[in-house]
Amino acid sequence: MNPASLAGSPSFYRGRFAPSPTGPLHFGSLVAALGSYLDARASGGEWLVRIEDVDEPRTVPAAADGILRTLEGFGFEWDGEVLVQSRRLDHYHAALVRLQLDGDVYPCACSRSEIAAATSRKSVDGGLLYPGTCRAGLAEGKAARAWRLRVPDREFSFVDRIQGESRQNLEREVGDFVLLRADGQYAYQLAVVVDDAAQGVSAVVRGVDLLDSTARQIWLQQRLGVATPSYAHLPVVVNAVGEKLSKQTKAAAVDSAGGSAVLAAALQFLGHPVPAELHRAPVADLWNWAISAWSIGRVPAVRGIFPGGEVL
Ligand code: GLU
């Protein structure tokens, strides 16, 4: 695979699915895999899988293998090798060094409690909006804990292929954000931007919970001088009380033995009801139908859907 040679071509499509191996594949992550896969295949493009295990404390041993086996069991076929973030720390380091040399990042000495003492303003993520304490340099006697990216006081706007126009002022809504954490781990925001660029990803299709991260990623792409892919944010599966299905909300693992019926439920969720006769058909028949039926315009432009009380 040579991303650089193809990624520059305006019509070339390369998508990806980038699960964090924090537990087994559940219905919510199956929906994200399916949306990104069908959008790539329906465009005649490539589809990559990347294991996002950069957050070591959250990584569950063997979860990555389980996710890959489940995807295979459903008949997903990825292109090239699976990229594993924990093997790419030198690339994240190189990107951080570049940002350091350009003065785009600064060391931060603040602990969580110091930030909480300095501000009560919330960021879009629900955490505290960093008040900029270390922006102009570390106070006497303070040691660096983390590295933060400076963000501008201007509005970023981009057109999401599903959710429409999205706007965010990074300084007012997010604040200078961490790229290297106090525990020595590289942040998701840095790893995802470095890897999407390194892999020549041209189209990102993922859950809407990451819509609010997109302006941060676009800003980081601009600081690193790499291309910005197109973005499409799928609705996420929520439970009866509106929480996103995740390991934290005890989402059940999906079993590829469920085959076409499970894929049909995921397609229904994405606005593509599957003809009844395909629910029990071999998965190959369902894939043929789904790749030709896929149209991103049919995906509901909403943030969360509770799938009608069905047991999934
Ligand atoms: N690893 C992230 C997750 O599992 C997805 C990252 C992305 O698609 O940009 O939520």
Side-chain angles (χ1 to χ4, degrees):
M1 178 171 59
N2 180 359
S5 62
L6 289 168
S9 144
S11 58
F12 180 73
Y13 186 115
R14 182 177 288 140
R16 50 55 160 195
F17 173 54
S20 302
T22 54
L25 194 79
H26 55 74
F27 188 75
S29 35
L30 177 67
V31 164
L34 189 62
S36 62
Y37 185 70
L38 290 175
D39 202 56
R41 293 300 185 227
S43 312
E46 292 179 357
W47 186 71
L48 314 179
V49 174
R50 181 168 76 226
I51 297 295
E52 297 208 323
D53 59 349
V54 76
D55 189 348
E56 206 187 308
R58 286 184 60 225
T59 296
V60 173
D65 267 358
I67 290 171
L68 296 176
R69 297 296 79 78
T70 306
L71 290 172
E72 265 172 357
F74 278 117
F76 286 88
E77 291 172 358
W78 54 86
D79 294 296
E81 303 254 303
V82 172
L83 201 78
V84 179
Q85 288 192 326
S86 56
R87 300 191 197 134
R88 293 183 43 78
L89 302 185
D90 48 341
H91 295 266
Y92 311 141
H93 175 72
L96 188 69
V97 168
R98 174 177 170 165
L99 295 165
Q100 286 167 338
L101 292 174
D102 290 347
D104 289 324
V105 288
Y106 61 87
C108 173
C110 299
S111 64
R112 251 180 244 272
S113 54
E114 284 168 330
I115 297 172
T119 188
S120 55
R121 283 181 63 200
K122 290 274 165 62
S123 77
V124 279
D125 293 338
L128 291 170
L129 196 143
Y130 184 64
T133 318
C134 298
R135 215 176 200 211
L138 294 179
E140 257 323 281
K142 288 279 199 182
R145 292 164 51 87
W147 283 82
R148 290 182 184 270
L149 182 71
R150 291 174 206 283
V151 297
D153 181 11
R154 70 172 162 84
E155 199 162 67
F156 282 77
S157 105
F158 65 95
V159 178
D160 187 272
R161 293 170 57 216
I162 297 171
Q163 306 288 337
E165 190 177 19
S166 181
R167 293 167 177 275
Q168 193 179 65
N169 179 308
L170 282 177
E171 184 168 286
R172 294 179 196 185
E173 296 175 60
V174 177
D176 294 343
F177 57 95
V178 169
L179 298 185
L180 180 63
R181 299 181 350 195
D183 63 0
Q185 308 281 309
Y186 290 100
Y188 154 71
Q189 306 290 357
L190 179 65
V192 76
V193 165
V194 168
D195 288 346
D196 281 341
Q199 294 190 285
V201 168
S202 65
V204 171
V205 179
R206 61 186 177 189
V208 79
D209 50 313
L210 291 164
L211 184 64
D212 285 337
S213 284
T214 306
R216 265 169 276 185
Q217 292 171 16
I218 293 174
W219 173 236
L220 201 38
Q221 286 151 2
Q222 292 174 359
R223 299 326 301 155
L224 290 169
V226 298
T228 292
S230 66
Y231 287 97
H233 286 87
L234 305 164
V236 295
V237 186
V238 293
N239 63 18
V241 291
E243 296 166 334
K244 183 196 165 200
L245 274 199
S246 67
K247 195 170 147 257
Q248 287 75 22
T249 54
K250 309 242 179 311
V254 282
D255 185 347
S256 58
S260 293
V262 178
L263 292 173
L267 273 155
Q268 162 90 29
F269 182 88
L270 290 173
H272 291 70
V274 175
E277 67 274 15
L278 286 176
H279 287 222
R280 286 165 188 276
V283 285
D285 295 351
L286 186 120
W287 284 122
N288 283 338
W289 176 87
I291 291 167
S292 58
W294 179 256
S295 161
I296 207 153
R298 289 166 65 185
V299 176
V302 297
R303 286 188 162 239
I305 301 176
F306 171 52
E310 294 154 39
V311 182
L312 297 167

